[in-house]
Amino acid sequence: MSDSGKKISILGALVLTLSFLLLSFAEYRPNRVLTGTNIGARELFGNGFFLLIFLSITIIVLIITNHKKYKLMVGLASLLMMGLVLYLFGTAIVKETFNIIPNGRISLGIGFWSIFLGMEMVMNGCLKGDKKCILYRRLFYTILILMILIFLLSGHLNNLSIMKEFFNRSGTFFRQIRRHFSLSIFSVIAGLILGIPTGVLIYKERKIEGPILFIINLGQTIPTLSLLGIVMVPLTLLSQQNKFIKDIGISGVGFAPAFIVLVIYALFPVVHNTIAGLKMIDQDLLETAAGLGMKNNQIFWKIQLPLSLPIILGGIRIAITQSIGNTILAGLIGGGGLGSIIFLGLAQAAPDLILLGVIPLIAMAFIMDSVISFFIFFYKKRYLGLAE
Amino acid sequence: MIELKNVTKKYHDITALKNFTLQIPKGVLLVLLGPSGCGKSTVIKLINHLIEPTSGEIYINNKNINEMNLINLRRSIGYVIQSIGLFPHYNVYENIIIVPRLLKWSKKDIDHRVDFLLDLVGLNRNYKNKFPFELSGGEGQRVGVARALAADPPILLMDEPFGSVDPLNRERLQKEFYKIQRELKKTVLFVTHDVEEAIRLADNIAVMKPGELASLGSPWDFVTDHREEYVKEFLGGEYALKLLTRFMVQDIMEQKNIKNKEYTRGRVLQVKKENTVSSALALMISKGIDFLEVVDEQEEIVGSITFEDILKNVFRGTRK
Ligand SMILES: Nc1ncnc2c1ncn2[C@@H]1O[C@H](COP(=O)(O)OP(=O)(O)OP(=O)(O)O)[C@@H](O)[C@H]1O
Ligand SMILES: [Mg+2]
């Protein structure tokens, strides 16, 4: 482990310890909107508190003593700590004390976010300079997410206010997740259908590179919200004037403008990475392919596309994670998705409702990012002999 | 037959070839020798039409290549690129069979061919599933040669095909290649920096200086004929000695009665009949003798070789 990495992870472990000592892990509110009282780890977790402190100190000791398998041990200790926190939290909030008032709510305190930060610092430091860093990270967070999911599904955390929000609107919740996901994915697919050929064209005809990239880059520089406005105006006019367009459901609000904006955003990484991927291929290989008697289209499908695939996939990865985030805006104009939940939460000043929208959003982005990263990693290793 | 007529090639302001004329008759292996940057690769790329000449014409079998179907032309030319150029996402097998696959050979024929080629270039058959990143430079280069030979093309363009193979395998490949060339009589343009390699393989040697042909002839011609100081310098003072590596002892030995020991001054030493003549000469020099017995694989005496035989048979132009 590098020295600076060590410093970061020790700092992270200190953040963990201090969070348990100083910060609040739950906020109790008599009803949905009133501000409530903070409850610290000692009070909330009872004797489990000492176990948590013990675990944080163990992590520090493991790092300082440079234990042989410290990466594995630190990872396990961190996961154990998170599991313990979730378990103790669930147990604590069913306690009578917090359930006296029927409308009373318990939400996550700042300590939770703080230990996430601390854990990330520990991870980051430990894995700094490690070749398989990305793989380990993903493994760690996948286990963590699975753990959280198990706690959620088992009903152990049902008294948490965010779960109450969830039960209040679980029907809409799942519908919006699906809608969010399909809006993001289909806009990226449309972005690919337009973007990859555009990239190939620009690669072949360097003359058109300037003007086309100018337009695509411009789309990227305009803030998303403004772009949405820009797209809405002509769409509204169109649907007012053309009955057919109106009949197939396209109008200035709802699905259509959101979709168009998302496609424009997806174009940027797809086009740029397609060009970069093609440019990166060794000219000698293309010359060899031609010299062996491959036709141009054979060279494209058999040589250029497979060799630039990792970079194009990298563009797709960026496009998807970005699109999942940007799809929130669809909620603003009646396009649905998790944005609707988030903006409703903002309007009602209900933080739990906001979280209910944000958490699946992060999970979705993380999962898509991981899936594509893994695929790129596998492809590079298997076919190009390159480790990340 | 390959023919370049008054070909000039300019890259922007660099003139890589100036009024270049060269003929490679059918069935002849011509080695193009010359210093780095003199335009050897340019000549090769002009022939398979990867680059256009600025002026001049190129003919293959008396047909201007501009009038030929480019794709068919290239598929009938085996091409070994200088930088090896294996496709990183294809394994050895897939790299080798590119042209046969383009020509739609049957799977059975392809499989047979790959086994044959791997044996030929001296790679184990279980290399088929390896990817280029798992190969050493020399192994990769041998796969490159196998790929060029894959569809049994009548013409071969080889740009330093053995450049990064180790000396031992290099010599083996040269011998192997020389053998199949004598059998199959392909029309070959073989580029190298290595004078010894040129001597071993060439029917004709063309020595280049930057952008131009300096001299052309058989390997023997260059022993005596030094029209240009440049050529003499490039081939080096030991050219005549290097020429001896081309021959095996059995090519020039006398199958006479070796009981006649009039030549011996000391103890009679033996040399294997498939050793090179240069190694026989080295042995004579190191022992201060001019007579050796020649033995075969079973150590049976089959003849003799003398210093006089070497002079007579190599340098007076007679070859068995
Ligand atoms: N694509 C190109 N663009 C510009 N100049 C080039 C290009 N290809 C080759 N040249 C120049 O043309 C000249 C001849 O190059 P060529 O590759 O034919 O040399 P070579 O004899 O094969 O050299 P080497 O033995 O180093 O491979 C060199 O001066 C080189 O810099
Ligand atoms: Mg060259």
Side-chain angles (χ1 to χ4, degrees):
Chain A
M1 175 165 38
S2 64
D3 252 14
S4 65
K6 204 164 190 164
K7 278 185 202 138
I8 294 173
S9 32
I10 291 175
L11 204 63
L14 285 176
V15 168
L16 289 176
T17 321
L18 289 177
S19 306
F20 291 126
L21 287 173
L22 302 176
L23 296 178
S24 113
F25 273 74
E27 189 188 0
Y28 176 72
R29 283 170 297 161
N31 73 30
R32 195 169 168 208
V33 283
L34 283 183
T35 41
T37 43
N38 288 320
I39 305 162
R42 174 75 188 89
E43 190 185 347
L44 191 67
F45 299 146
N47 286 338
F49 166 77
F50 297 109
L51 203 52
L52 291 169
I53 294 288
F54 171 74
L55 274 174
S56 345
I57 292 171
T58 309
I59 291 178
I60 299 182
V61 172
L62 281 171
I63 295 169
I64 291 180
T65 55
N66 238 338
H67 188 278
K68 241 193 345 237
K69 294 198 166 170
Y70 74 93
K71 279 179 198 169
L72 182 71
M73 309 267 278
V74 167
L76 287 177
S78 307
L79 285 173
L80 189 63
M81 179 189 284
M82 293 310 287
L84 205 60
V85 167
L86 288 170
Y87 173 76
L88 291 171
F89 190 82
T91 320
I93 59 179
V94 292
K95 277 190 196 155
E96 294 290 311
T97 26
F98 299 117
N99 268 330
I100 311 165
I101 305 168
N103 278 334
R105 285 172 177 263
I106 297 166
S107 43
L108 302 173
I110 186 151
F112 261 98
W113 312 118
S114 166
I115 59 171
F116 269 111
L117 172 75
M119 213 176 50
E120 168 61 25
M121 285 167 75
V122 172
M123 276 281 108
N124 230 326
C126 279
L127 295 177
K128 202 166 183 192
D130 193 304
K131 263 184 281 172
K132 290 186 175 161
C133 167
I134 293 176
L135 215 62
Y136 287 144
R137 273 179 87 87
R138 283 181 198 283
L139 189 69
F140 179 81
Y141 280 108
T142 310
I143 295 175
L144 187 66
I145 285 179
L146 282 177
M147 211 160 70
I148 294 174
L149 265 181
I150 290 170
F151 273 107
L152 285 176
L153 294 177
S154 68
H156 191 69
L157 300 173
N158 277 359
N159 272 6
L160 199 57
S161 65
I162 181 171
M163 293 306 284
K164 287 188 173 163
E165 294 283 6
F166 167 71
F167 287 119
N168 284 342
R169 54 189 87 234
S170 61
T172 349
F173 177 74
F174 286 116
R175 203 176 61 238
Q176 300 297 26
I177 285 191
R178 274 198 301 277
R179 197 175 164 90
H180 195 104
F181 186 70
S182 46
L183 195 52
S184 318
I185 292 294
F186 283 116
S187 61
V188 171
I189 290 176
L192 292 180
I193 293 172
L194 290 174
I196 292 182
T198 309
V200 173
L201 209 69
I202 292 176
Y203 170 77
K204 284 187 179 157
E205 292 290 331
R206 297 283 156 88
K207 267 176 277 169
I208 62 170
E209 176 164 359
I212 293 194
L213 283 189
F214 177 75
I215 296 170
I216 290 172
N217 294 351
L218 195 68
Q220 192 78 8
T221 18
I222 302 175
T224 338
L225 218 56
S226 326
L227 193 59
L228 203 57
I230 294 171
V231 170
M232 282 166 78
V233 176
L235 272 183
T236 313
L237 292 177
L238 256 179
S239 69
Q240 276 167 2
Q241 276 158 20
N242 189 321
K243 193 167 166 339
F244 173 73
I245 287 184
K246 192 172 185 165
D247 285 348
I248 58 170
I250 291 177
S251 69
V253 290
F255 163 82
F259 183 75
I260 292 175
V261 168
L262 290 173
V263 172
I264 293 175
Y265 267 82
L267 277 179
F268 183 84
V270 171
V271 171
H272 275 273
N273 281 39
T274 304
I275 299 172
L278 288 170
K279 274 188 183 166
M280 200 199 58
I281 300 174
D282 188 354
Q283 281 302 311
D284 274 359
L285 284 183
L286 300 181
E287 205 171 271
T288 308
L292 292 170
M294 284 191 177
K295 294 177 186 159
N296 281 340
N297 65 333
Q298 288 168 328
I299 295 177
F300 178 74
W301 291 108
K302 292 184 174 179
I303 310 295
Q304 288 176 298
L305 198 61
L307 287 182
S308 52
L309 195 61
I311 299 203
I312 297 179
L313 280 171
I316 297 176
R317 197 188 83 194
I318 297 168
I320 286 185
T321 42
Q322 184 183 273
S323 185
I324 288 172
N326 282 339
T327 301
I328 296 176
L329 290 176
L332 268 186
I333 52 166
L338 291 166
S340 332
I341 298 179
I342 296 170
F343 287 118
L344 189 67
L346 283 172
Q348 300 184 350
D352 292 315
L353 198 51
I354 299 175
L355 270 186
L356 190 66
V358 168
I359 289 173
L361 186 91
I362 295 172
M364 199 185 287
F366 176 80
I367 290 170
M368 291 313 291
D369 190 61
S370 301
V371 168
I372 302 176
S373 295
F374 177 78
F375 190 72
I376 296 174
F377 181 82
F378 173 81
Y379 183 90
K380 276 186 170 173
K381 203 176 155 80
R382 170 73 178 73
Y383 289 105
L384 308 179
L386 303 165
E388 194 123 349
Chain B
M1 181 162 90
I2 304 170
E3 211 177 346
L4 288 90
K5 273 191 192 160
N6 299 321
V7 173
T8 296
K9 174 67 194 174
K10 288 184 181 152
Y11 295 108
H12 312 290
D13 48 350
I14 303 168
T15 306
L17 285 180
K18 210 162 38 205
N19 245 328
F20 189 85
T21 297
L22 182 71
Q23 273 188 20
I24 309 170
K26 198 173 164 64
V28 164
L29 191 156
L30 182 134
V31 172
L32 200 54
L33 254 180
S36 194
C38 70
K40 304 182 296 295
S41 299
T42 303
V43 172
I44 283 200
K45 289 176 193 173
L46 282 165
I47 295 171
N48 61 11
H49 215 171
L50 284 171
I51 52 178
E52 287 270 353
T54 311
S55 69
E57 282 110 46
I58 298 153
Y59 296 89
I60 290 179
N61 298 331
N62 298 317
K63 259 184 100 172
N64 191 320
I65 60 167
N66 285 327
E67 286 150 26
M68 300 170 80
N69 176 318
L70 190 61
I71 298 296
N72 290 341
L73 169 75
R74 287 175 180 164
R75 289 178 188 176
S76 69
I77 295 177
Y79 179 34
V80 183
I81 189 175
Q82 187 170 15
S83 60
I84 306 177
L86 297 183
F87 299 113
H89 59 308
Y90 285 168
N91 62 23
V92 167
Y93 177 86
E94 293 163 326
N95 263 293
I96 292 178
I97 66 168
I98 286 173
V99 185
R101 200 176 252 175
L102 290 171
L103 295 172
K104 303 206 161 49
W105 286 21
S106 74
K107 170 104 173 75
K108 208 178 108 219
D109 291 347
I110 287 180
D111 285 348
H112 274 137
R113 188 71 186 160
V114 171
D115 286 344
F116 169 80
L117 289 165
L118 286 176
D119 293 348
L120 184 75
V121 298
L123 286 177
N124 195 309
R125 287 186 186 181
N126 60 23
Y127 268 54
K128 270 184 262 190
N129 295 321
K130 288 201 181 208
F131 279 86
F133 69 86
E134 299 171 283
L135 304 176
S136 72
E139 288 167 343
Q141 208 156 37
R142 283 183 266 168
V143 176
V145 173
R147 177 174 67 183
L149 294 170
D152 205 8
I155 295 174
L156 287 173
L157 302 176
M158 308 176 87
D159 203 343
E160 299 197 29
F162 308 141
S164 46
V165 181
D166 64 281
L168 213 67
N169 268 305
R170 189 176 176 137
E171 205 178 312
R172 204 189 64 74
L173 278 173
Q174 287 164 350
K175 275 185 188 155
E176 211 54 53
F177 186 65
Y178 184 71
K179 216 163 69 191
I180 55 170
Q181 171 56 13
R182 276 209 288 196
E183 223 172 89
L184 300 177
K185 290 277 172 215
K186 293 178 188 296
T187 308
V188 186
L189 178 58
F190 190 109
V191 167
T192 182
H193 280 122
D194 178 351
V195 176
E196 218 165 295
E197 183 166 73
I199 289 169
R200 283 208 175 125
L201 297 174
D203 295 314
N204 289 324
I205 296 177
V207 181
M208 281 183 79
K209 56 185 175 186
E212 289 176 70
L213 194 62
S215 185
L216 174 71
S218 79
W220 291 271
D221 295 340
F222 288 100
V223 178
T224 49
D225 178 19
H226 287 143
R227 273 164 292 195
E228 284 202 56
E229 195 57 31
Y230 168 83
V231 176
K232 192 169 168 179
E233 225 166 77
F234 186 80
L235 296 178
E238 288 151 28
Y239 181 83
L241 288 179
K242 287 180 179 167
L243 190 60
L244 295 178
T245 57
R246 186 180 171 106
F247 300 99
M248 286 192 274
V249 169
Q250 62 185 5
D251 293 333
I252 64 166
M253 69 180 190
E254 291 286 322
Q255 285 169 314
K256 62 186 175 189
N257 180 6
I258 53 96
K259 297 261 161 45
N260 176 2
K261 289 186 182 170
E262 58 187 286
Y263 292 101
T264 46
R265 288 191 190 122
R267 204 159 64 84
V268 179
L269 289 175
Q270 297 180 333
V271 64
K272 289 213 170 72
K273 72 182 167 84
E274 65 283 358
N275 283 3
T276 59
V277 173
S278 58
S279 67
L281 180 66
L283 188 60
M284 289 179 187
I285 292 169
S286 65
K287 301 292 178 190
I289 54 179
D290 58 6
F291 175 88
L292 294 169
E293 283 176 351
V294 180
V295 296
D296 62 9
E297 295 89 10
Q298 286 81 39
E299 309 267 315
E300 291 283 329
I301 297 169
V302 291
S304 68
I305 183 170
T306 64
F307 187 65
E308 179 60 22
D309 292 332
I310 297 176
L311 287 181
K312 191 174 75 198
N313 292 333
V314 177
F315 297 109
R316 294 183 193 140
T318 38
R319 262 176 84 196
K320 269 191 196 166

